[in-house]
Structures are given as C-alpha cells and as structure tokens.
Amino acid sequence: MGLDQRVTSRGERPTSFELEDFGPVSGREEEWRFTPVDRLAGVFAAEFSGTAAVTLAGTGSLPDGVKFEQVPRSDPRLGQASGPSDRAAAAAWAGFGQATVLSVGRGISVESPIELEVRTQGDGVAASHLAVWLEENSAATVIVDYGGGGELAETVELYLGEGARLRLLAVGEWAAGAVHASSHRARLAKDASLVHSVAVFGGELVRITPDVTFAGPGGSAELLGLALTDSGEHHESRLFVDHAAPRCTSRVTYKGALQGAGAHSVWVGDVLIRAGAVGTDTYEQNRNLVLVRGARADSVPNLEIETGEILGAGHASATGRFDDEQVFYLCSRGIDLATARRLVVHAFFAELVGRLNQPEIEARLIATVDRRLDAATQSLLTPTQQPKETLGR
Amino acid sequence: MTVLEIRDLHVSVESDEGGTPILRGVDLTVRSGETHAIMGPNGSGKSTLAYSLAGHPKYRVTSGTATLDGEDLLTMPVDGRAKAGLFLAMQYPVEVPGVTVSNFLRTAKTAIDGEAPPLRQWIKDMRQAMSNLRMDPTFAERSVNEGFSGGEKKRHEILQMELLRPKIAILDETDSGLDVDALRVVAEGVNRAKQTTGLGVMLITHYTRVLQYIRPDQVHVFVGGRIVEQGGPELADRLEEEGYDRFVA
C-alpha cells in the first residue's frame, strides 16, 4: 500500500524515506501533472547503473573549520532535513552509496565562495547526495555547479544551525538530453538565514524541488530562481516553504524566460503557514517572459494560512510576452533582433540577478544568458526556419 | 541631400484569409529639408504607407519600389532601414516593460551610429533634448512607454527622433490626442530637427491644425490607398473648409 497522495493541503502531503511508500507515477498526480514523466522512468525505477561525483572545484584547499568529506549512509548528519515528498526524491535517497558532506564549524565565517561540481559518469541513471552542514553561527557561500549530460536523481540537504547564514547558488548548464531530478531540502534552526538560488540552462528535463522548513523562530529564507528555457526543454521548479515556527520571513522570486517553440517551464510555489507560525511574513512571486510563439509557462502559487496572526502573506504570478510589436518598435530604432532580445531579457532578469549580491556570479550568469540567447536568435534567423521574427524581408 | 523615392507602391495587409490590398500605387518623393503633409480620411492607408516603409512584418509589398538615396529600402531589415536614416514616429508607441528610456535610447544611438556615444556628451545631449521637450529628467528611468500618457508617448517619439538624427522622418499622426501646448512642444522639436539636421519630413495627419506649427512645402491628399491630389499649403486650407467628401465619392 502506498501513501495516500490524495491530499489537498501541502502540509498533509506525506514524506517518506522509503521508495515503496510512493506508488508508480502516472503523470496525473498533483506533483507530476506538468512533467513529461516518461523521461523520468529510469529515475522512478531507481535502478542505478550510472555514477555521479561531487568534487571540490579549484585548488581544493579549504579554510580552517571547513570540511569536505565522503561519508557512508550511516552518517548522522544525513536525513536531518525534511524527508522526500515524491518518488524521484525517494529514489535519490534510496540510490546513493556514499554521500558528500560540506561542513562549516561553529562560529566560522567563510568569506569567499566554496564551489562544488556535480557530474554524472557513464551510462544509466545516477544518484547523488550532498549535505551542507552549517553549525551554530557559521556563515558560508556555496556554489554548486551542474553540467554535462546523463540522468541524475539528486538530493541536496541544507542544514542551518542556530544563527547560521548560508548563501547557496545551484547553477547548471546541462547538455542536450540531460535529465535531472533534484530535491533540495533545507532546515533552518532559530534565527538562521538562507539565500537559496537556482539558475537553470539547457538539459531536456530539469526538475528541482526546493523544500524549506523553519524549525525554529526568527529564521529567514530568500529563494531565487532564474531559468532560460529553450526549444524542447522542460524546466520545472516546485517549492515548498513550511512556516512551522513563529516570526520567520520568506521571500520567493522566480523568473523564467522562454525562448524556443515547445519550451515548457513550470513553477509551483507552495507556502504553508502553520497554526503556530505567528508573526510570519511571506511573499512569493513568479514572473515569466515568453519570447516566441509556441512556448508555455505554467505558474501556480499556493498559499495556505492556518493562523491569522501574521505580518503579511502574499503571492503574485504574471506571464508577459515579448511580441512582434515590441520587436518591431525596437528594431525600427536601429536595434537588431539579437540586441533587442538581450535588452529585454537583461531588463527582465536584472533585479533578480542583482539580488544574488555576487558580482562575479552575476557576470557569469549574464554571459550564459547572452550566449544562449544569441544562439537561439541565430537559429531564428536561419533560412530553414523562416518565422515572422525575420522582420521586413 | 537625401532623397526618399516611392514609386508605384502596392502593399497588402496579411491576414488569415490572405492578402488585402491597401496601397494602390503610391508615388512620392521627399528630399532633405522638405516637409510633405499626407492628409486623408480614416482608413485611406496613410498608416500603412508609414509602416510598410519602416518594414512592419504585417504588410507585404506586392509591387513598386521605395529607395533612400538609391538604396532599395524594401529589401532591408527593419533595423537596417533605421540605420540607413529612416525614422517612424508611431501613432501608438509600444510598451517595453523593464527597459528604461535611458537604456533604450543609448542602445538605439549605439546601433544607429555603429559605436557607443561618448558617455559624458551623451548624457548632456539627452538632458538637453529632454529639457527642450519639457520632459522631466526622471522620465529617463521609466520603462519605455509603460504608463506614459498620450502626450508623453508622442514627446518620447520626438525625443528619439532628435537624438537619433535620421535623414527622413515619417510622423504618423503625431499630432493626434495632443492638447495645444503639447502640440507646440512637439512641433518645436520637429522644426528644430529640420533646422539643425536638414531633416526631411513626411507628416501624416488627419487634421490641419498641426500645419499651423509645422509648415508643409507640399500637401498630398491620400484616398483609397493612393495620392489623389497635391498642391501647396493652400490645399490644406481648402481641405479644412471642404473636408474629404469630394474625394471619397
């Protein structure tokens, strides 16, 4: 018997570390209804013949008080955040052999970003588990870089002790055909603060489900997301912010630009304010910019409030279109199509990228956006596909 | 001396049911420094003429030619026409959310000139041009045309024209919806561009009022997709008295 998935409140959705507790996935389930589930058959089957490695980028040297270790499944720091809430996350938990733990000791504050790389090796589905463990009053910035092809089921656990401060950026530019299902689960103790950001480029199917649980009062979480979705790509973000403790603050800002026919992006933002979470302040928003015809952005904010004694709770969702009239207007001022698209997309992402507060990462993200935009613009202009975007010929 | 030469231009509008002919053989020559008023009733094809010269994808040229200094305009992409020196001040300027006026203008100026303008000079020029058009400096940080009043949109079009310094400008009902003060400010901008850069102007309008502020060298009556009569400024006065009825029969 599987878990009862027919629940209406996100708070009642069961979590389990047992794969068998999640039944087969048909694609009709709430959490899978937007996903091309056929492409995840390998992940759901949880038969892992591929391998994945998490490595430390650069020189590999770490400041005092910071440790990067490979640990067995029995390590007590694993599984401390919330549990898997869908079959892909349970498969990722079932599938890893050793886990990687990056830990920052009590009171240690690391200035420069620590960069990790996650890559799959060989054929077949791989599983990977990374835990970032911040002890009391420690602080760090961690970049997790994804790339390459392959199929990966992954967990990223973020454990923030009292007063800990973590900035995490997960950025990926996947190869064509890559399939990546990733469950990010963060647990914030009293007064901890998390900036969690995700930037997604490429791949065939990239589905990231960040869960954030406030386990103590006074915590704050900012969740940022950027995606540039091209032809034939499915980028899905499903967030869950669980306000289980009083006086916590959460802000969610996800922005997606879609630039190819058949591009599909999904954003689902669940925010739950439990009865005990008095003094909660939360706002979530999703913005999408559709650059071409034939792309689709699904956007679903869900806000559940079980107490009236909160500071604020709101959500917003909007999808705009960069249409032929805007293209014509800009081009009629001498601006070519590639520059026009850059102008509009930069403006769209500017405020979000600025909030990362990391100039180097900002420059890197904008460069990636430009490179992918320009590539797509070129394909719009090739004679094999003569759409209306070829203006005035 | 720049010459825009339009010969026997036929244009259809594309729709799902196929093409509908709108322009039926337009002949017109506009030279530097000249102002040509194109006047006609609603639906006569005046805006189609403006948009097809600028290269809007909705319109298809079925025959005829349009050249700018001998260069074939009609085979150029939209941005190429602007770079060649053509400017269209639109009747309904388009909103571009998120993109600031200042960023937009600098990007357009860079595209037209082929190089970025020296920053200090550019800021000075932009401030001066905005001040000439009685535009508040904060305007530069607003999103292009978003939430602009009708008058602000038209001033913004003329601001672009003054800064981009085209050779020939098509003003598509730039006077419509303007009160008399705004009309005077906009007309001053057009006259300034004529004086300083020798701009040639194709002034599309429904009403003669604007012609008190921007004096035309020639007036063309546009009906049924072509020019049916032309003359000097006195023709505008006749139209004011008689309307377009005698041409519409």
Side-chain angles (χ1 to χ4, degrees):
Chain A
M1 233 3 243
L3 296 170
D4 187 359
Q5 299 285 305
R6 295 162 300 168
V7 291
T8 50
S9 166
R10 182 64 205 250
E12 290 165 16
R13 188 183 299 176
T15 60
S16 172
F17 287 91
E18 300 299 324
L19 181 66
E20 302 75 51
D21 285 341
F22 298 92
V25 174
S26 70
R28 289 189 297 274
E29 301 81 0
E30 166 54 36
E31 66 270 36
W32 295 110
R33 65 190 174 108
F34 295 113
T35 319
V37 291
D38 293 352
R39 273 312 267 124
L40 284 170
V43 169
F44 294 144
E47 288 160 6
F48 297 99
S49 55
T51 55
V54 183
T55 55
L56 200 53
T59 60
S61 68
L62 288 169
D64 288 345
V66 180
K67 276 194 213 158
F68 179 79
E69 311 161 77
Q70 305 297 323
V71 304
R73 292 185 66 95
S74 57
D75 192 286
R77 293 169 294 186
L78 305 182
Q80 293 298 317
S82 55
S85 64
D86 63 38
R87 189 173 172 94
W93 176 263
F96 73 93
Q98 283 198 313
T100 304
V101 177
L102 176 73
S103 57
V104 181
R106 185 174 175 168
I108 305 267
S109 188
V110 185
E111 292 294 330
S112 48
I114 302 165
E115 187 159 351
L116 310 177
E117 283 182 4
V118 180
R119 295 289 184 275
T120 59
Q121 290 143 353
D123 293 333
V125 185
S128 156
H129 193 102
L130 166 67
V132 178
W133 184 272
L134 264 68
E135 293 187 1
E136 263 178 61
N137 297 316
S138 65
T141 298
V142 178
I143 300 169
V144 185
D145 178 274
Y146 298 96
E151 293 181 47
L152 179 68
E154 188 211 23
T155 307
V156 175
E157 281 192 284
L158 308 173
Y159 183 92
L160 283 74
E162 270 193 38
R165 299 190 310 280
L166 174 64
R167 303 182 73 90
L168 180 113
L169 171 67
V171 55
E173 191 175 5
W174 285 269
V179 172
H180 186 152
S182 184
S183 169
H184 287 210
R185 302 196 289 273
R187 181 182 191 278
L188 279 69
K190 179 171 175 283
D191 296 331
S193 128
L194 170 68
V195 179
H196 179 275
S197 42
V198 179
V200 176
F201 305 96
E204 179 181 343
L205 190 168
V206 179
R207 183 178 187 270
I208 301 179
T209 58
D211 292 353
V212 173
T213 304
F214 290 108
S220 79
E222 176 156 35
L223 283 77
L224 306 172
L226 177 159
L228 180 62
T229 309
D230 217 322
S231 266
E233 296 173 359
H234 176 95
H235 292 158
E236 181 168 347
S237 307
R238 283 180 171 264
L239 297 90
F240 177 38
V241 181
D242 189 353
H243 279 273
R247 297 185 306 282
C248 294
T249 301
S250 64
R251 292 286 180 274
V252 176
T253 309
Y254 266 61
K255 288 191 166 193
L258 296 93
Q259 64 157 352
H264 187 198
S265 73
V266 178
W267 176 85
V268 180
D270 293 339
V271 175
L272 171 63
I273 303 171
R274 294 185 191 265
V278 296
T280 290
D281 183 4
T282 178
Y283 191 80
E284 59 167 352
Q285 60 168 327
N286 174 230
R287 297 267 183 271
N288 295 297
L289 175 65
V290 179
L291 293 163
V292 293
R293 273 182 284 267
R296 176 183 167 136
D298 285 296
S299 178
V300 187
N302 292 311
L303 181 57
E304 288 178 71
I305 307 176
E306 294 175 355
T307 172
E309 293 176 47
I310 57 171
L311 288 182
H315 63 73
S317 163
T319 296
R321 188 167 284 281
F322 183 46
D323 63 22
D324 288 351
E325 296 304 322
Q326 289 168 323
V327 173
F328 175 71
Y329 188 72
L330 296 174
C331 291
S332 77
R333 272 51 177 151
I335 300 169
D336 61 63
L337 181 60
T339 307
R341 288 163 61 104
R342 277 188 184 204
L343 190 66
V344 167
V345 172
H346 283 193
F348 179 67
F349 285 137
E351 184 237 352
L352 175 73
V353 174
R355 271 206 240 168
L356 294 175
N357 213 5
Q358 299 276 336
E360 274 176 36
I361 294 170
E362 191 173 328
R364 186 167 133 187
L365 287 180
I366 293 296
T368 308
V369 166
D370 284 349
R371 185 160 37 75
R372 300 191 75 93
L373 268 179
D374 289 352
T377 308
Q378 283 312 309
S379 75
L380 280 178
L381 294 171
T382 55
T384 49
Q385 294 168 270
Q386 272 290 358
K388 283 207 169 152
E389 275 76 7
T390 325
L391 284 169
R393 301 272 181 189
Chain B
M1 169 67 80
T2 291
V3 186
L4 169 66
E5 209 164 2
I6 304 163
R7 288 291 167 267
D8 195 29
L9 190 69
H10 289 71
V11 170
S12 291
V13 65
E14 295 290 337
S15 68
D16 293 340
E17 297 89 57
T20 308
I22 306 285
L23 300 189
R24 303 157 186 272
V26 179
D27 288 288
L28 182 66
T29 303
V30 180
R31 294 182 182 81
S32 294
E34 295 178 351
T35 298
H36 294 255
I38 312 286
M39 305 192 63
N42 288 330
S44 58
K46 304 187 299 291
S47 287
T48 299
L49 177 61
Y51 278 80
S52 42
L53 290 172
H56 194 286
K58 189 170 132 191
Y59 301 102
R60 193 161 53 87
V61 175
T62 51
S63 68
T65 60
T67 59
L68 193 66
D69 290 334
E71 297 284 323
D72 183 2
L73 263 184
L74 302 178
T75 55
M76 294 180 196
V78 176
D79 59 302
R81 299 178 196 208
K83 285 173 188 146
L86 188 72
F87 182 85
L88 168 63
M90 298 190 197
Q91 187 181 1
Y92 302 109
V94 181
E95 294 183 4
V96 189
V99 177
T100 61
V101 166
S102 122
N103 193 8
F104 164 61
L105 291 174
R106 199 173 59 244
T107 306
K109 184 68 176 168
T110 303
I112 297 275
D113 290 2
E115 59 179 354
L119 193 59
R120 196 172 293 192
Q121 185 64 42
W122 168 250
I123 289 171
K124 202 174 143 224
D125 291 350
M126 196 171 80
R127 285 199 183 134
Q128 183 61 51
M130 287 175 67
S131 153
N132 289 343
L133 289 165
R134 324 274 201 283
M135 296 167 87
D136 190 275
T138 58
F139 198 86
E141 296 317 312
R142 292 169 65 185
S143 288
V144 171
N145 294 320
E146 201 175 36
F148 288 16
S149 69
E152 285 173 333
K153 283 182 179 169
K154 298 301 173 72
R155 284 176 208 223
H156 180 226
E157 295 292 287
I158 298 305
L159 174 68
Q160 295 167 52
M161 189 188 76
E162 288 202 70
L163 288 168
L164 299 180
R165 302 170 76 92
K167 295 170 180 160
I168 303 285
I170 305 169
L171 309 182
D172 186 15
E173 307 216 7
T174 298
D175 55 326
S176 70
L178 294 183
D179 64 33
V180 70
D181 293 327
L183 181 62
R184 193 175 286 129
V185 167
V186 161
E188 277 171 19
V190 175
N191 291 329
R192 216 166 22 239
K194 285 175 65 174
Q195 273 166 21
T196 54
T197 66
L199 180 71
V201 176
M202 191 193 293
L203 181 67
I204 295 175
T205 183
H206 192 76
Y207 303 104
T208 54
R209 185 181 63 156
V210 65
L211 304 180
Q212 296 165 20
Y213 302 94
I214 305 171
R215 291 304 293 173
D217 300 297
Q218 281 193 58
V219 174
H220 309 264
V221 181
F222 206 83
V223 175
R226 42 197 283 273
I227 292 169
V228 294
E229 186 161 332
Q230 42 200 338
E234 72 286 350
L235 180 54
D237 300 332
R238 264 188 80 190
L239 290 171
E240 179 71 18
E241 285 167 25
E242 299 172 8
Y244 298 110
D245 283 355
R246 71 185 171 98
F247 300 104
V248 182

